[in-house]
Amino acid sequence: MSTKKPIAAFDLLLIANQIIQEHEDYIDGMRATSVEEKDEVLVFKGDYFLDDNGLPTANTTAVFNMFKYLAHQLSKEFTVEK
């Protein structure tokens, strides 16, 4: 039996964005705009700060790492309500 707390995607995004803003690696404009669950892992998405040609910038890695951090932290505790 799962001990994860079911939560609406909207509420989970509120929590995730609060964590992002309080994190030491926060970059202005960094924000999770959607979340889905795949194989019990939360997958966060948002702006990856790509350049005009759609290529990664210096901030792209920071955003990717932040979303990965959120997945590790929040997947243990929450599951998205269906």
Side-chain angles (χ1 to χ4, degrees):
M1 183 172 154
S2 177
T3 59
K4 293 182 180 186
K5 179 182 173 190
I7 188 169
F10 177 82
D11 294 331
L12 185 55
L13 286 171
L14 289 176
I15 293 168
N17 284 311
Q18 185 68 37
I19 291 170
I20 289 170
Q21 289 180 341
E22 293 173 355
H23 197 278
E24 65 183 21
D25 294 331
Y26 171 75
I27 298 170
D28 190 38
M30 187 184 285
R31 185 169 201 274
T33 57
S34 69
V35 61
E36 60 185 71
E37 192 166 3
K38 292 187 178 182
D39 298 325
E40 298 188 19
V41 175
L42 298 171
V43 179
F44 293 89
K45 296 180 182 177
D47 183 0
Y48 279 91
F49 296 99
L50 302 176
D51 69 12
D52 292 336
N53 296 318
L55 298 173
T57 66
N59 291 339
T60 303
T61 301
V63 174
F64 175 81
N65 287 337
M66 183 65 72
F67 291 165
K68 184 172 137 185
Y69 171 77
L70 291 173
H72 282 284
Q73 295 302 308
L74 298 176
S75 292
K76 295 182 279 188
E77 186 175 352
F78 296 105
T79 184
V80 177
E81 289 178 340
K82 304 271 187 231

